[in-house]
Amino acid sequence: MLLASVAVVIGLVVLVWSADRFVEGASAAAVHGGVPPLLIGMLIIGFGTSAPELSVSALSSLQGNSGIALGNAWGSNISNIALILGVVALISPITAHGRVVKRELPILLAITALAGWQVYDGELSRTDGVVLLVVFALLLVLSIRDGMRSRNDVASDEIRKQYLADTMPLGKAIMWLVLGLVLLIISSRLLVWGAVFIASDLGINDMIIGLTIVAVGTSLPELASSLAAIRKNEHDLALGNIIGSGLFNTLAVVGIAAVINPLEAPPEALTRDWTLMAGLTVALLLMCIAWRGRPGRINRVEGAGLLAVFCGYTGLLVWTAMSATA
């Protein structure tokens, strides 16, 4: 048990660190390859924070641990909204602008509804996974098209200034790209092994491990990037980071895991976990809507409410785990 716990901690630390190195190397290599800064920001940097969820869920599915694969993806979405936005809003209220309310959040809500419909029969089949990946690809193509149509020098300069100002040499970029990818795989394997061992040893459902320890750990990149954005008063970036991660987790992470191996979805996955994920998404949309002179934003009181929901949910999961081992 001690060895497994150490494996989980080391796995999480290396996972987060290697994901950062992978994004740095990939971004620099893309610059040397002549990829426009706007596309680097949307594709490589935008999805880089979800690399831990993707690697962990894919490996878990490959090893037949569907509980960790699904719990990690959905648990990360819950952590992103309730924990990360809660913490960030307590530090500084997050202002939401029209595009988030009119487009991004409704899309996330629709995708969440699709996920609930898919697990209604207790399983995410390979066909379900393919559907999720097709929807993800369509959204990706639309986002790239819209981004290129609205491209301007200011946007490109901002991305270049914030992320690509000190581009490393090509050789070093390739080194970090390869090393980051290798360490992502190794640390994911270490983390999954430790999580599965703990779940088996304690006699609890591995989905609870995926929803708690693994999900919170793999959400650390989102927390770091959201805190960095809010310090620079870039509220759209902080909120967009969470929404983008939610879309990526629900579509790409779960989709790839389901294509590798069909995922079992126990009844509580729908009644407890999906219901909370959907409820948080609806609450986030309502918070971001401006009405009766109130600006669309997540204030400190609402941030505290999100944190309280996260604590209550985590407490429920712990109680469920303890009841199962009693």
Side-chain angles (χ1 to χ4, degrees):
M1 175 63 74
L2 178 60
L3 182 60
S5 300
V6 172
V8 168
V9 173
I10 294 177
L12 283 173
V13 171
V14 177
L15 188 69
V16 173
W17 183 84
S18 60
D20 194 38
R21 300 289 83 76
F22 173 76
V23 170
E24 286 185 6
S27 301
V31 171
H32 286 287
V35 178
L38 188 64
L39 289 186
I40 294 174
M42 291 176 64
L43 300 180
I44 299 175
I45 298 171
F47 295 143
T49 55
S50 291
E53 287 91 342
L54 178 59
S55 56
V56 168
S57 288
L59 184 61
S60 298
S61 179
L62 191 62
Q63 295 180 349
N65 302 116
S66 60
I68 291 180
L70 184 59
N72 173 44
W74 285 9
S76 291
N77 286 354
I78 292 170
S79 297
N80 286 346
I81 297 176
L83 175 62
I84 295 177
L85 286 184
V87 169
V88 172
L90 279 177
I91 296 173
S92 175
I94 306 171
T95 302
H97 294 99
R99 180 183 172 90
V100 170
V101 177
K102 294 178 180 178
R103 179 170 174 175
E104 274 81 2
L105 274 173
I107 289 176
L108 179 59
L109 189 57
I111 296 305
T112 303
L114 172 63
W117 176 76
Q118 286 185 327
V119 300
Y120 187 77
D121 60 355
E123 181 190 52
L124 275 160
S125 65
R126 284 193 172 91
T127 301
D128 291 329
V130 170
V131 170
L132 291 174
L133 291 179
V134 169
V135 173
F136 175 71
L138 290 174
L139 287 178
L140 189 58
V141 169
L142 290 174
S143 296
I144 293 174
R145 187 196 65 180
D146 290 350
M148 296 304 291
R149 283 181 175 177
S150 61
R151 178 176 57 181
N152 54 63
D153 293 336
V154 174
S156 297
D157 287 345
E158 282 299 315
I159 293 171
R160 187 183 291 109
K161 187 191 310 178
Q162 185 167 353
Y163 297 106
L164 313 174
D166 301 315
T167 302
M168 63 184 73
L170 180 59
K172 187 177 180 181
I174 294 176
M175 179 197 74
W176 281 125
L177 174 62
V178 174
L179 182 61
L181 181 60
V182 170
L183 288 178
L184 265 174
I185 296 172
I186 294 175
S187 57
S188 297
R189 188 174 182 84
L190 189 64
L191 172 60
V192 171
W193 173 82
V196 171
F197 186 92
I198 292 173
S200 300
D201 195 60
L202 294 178
I204 61 177
N205 191 319
D206 60 358
M207 188 166 186
I208 291 182
I209 297 292
L211 287 164
T212 53
I213 299 172
V214 179
V216 173
T218 55
S219 293
L220 292 178
E222 283 89 352
L223 176 60
S225 59
S226 294
L227 288 174
I230 211 69
R231 280 199 301 269
K232 299 175 183 177
N233 203 35
E234 296 172 339
H235 292 198
D236 281 348
L237 188 59
L239 191 55
N241 173 51
I242 296 301
I243 297 173
S245 177
L247 288 170
F248 190 88
N249 290 338
T250 307
L251 294 173
V253 173
V254 176
I256 289 174
V259 167
I260 293 173
N261 261 323
L263 305 179
E264 293 181 12
E268 59 270 21
L270 179 63
T271 58
R272 180 191 64 200
D273 310 316
W274 176 84
T275 299
L276 178 62
M277 183 171 69
L280 286 170
T281 306
V282 171
L284 182 59
L285 176 60
L286 294 176
M287 291 176 196
C288 292
I289 293 176
W291 58 285
R292 292 186 179 180
R294 174 193 180 277
R297 68 172 186 170
I298 308 171
N299 58 39
R300 287 187 172 90
V301 173
E302 291 164 340
L306 289 174
L307 276 177
V309 169
F310 177 79
C311 292
Y313 174 67
T314 304
L316 174 62
L317 293 178
V318 172
W319 178 82
T320 302
M322 292 177 64
S323 299
T325 59

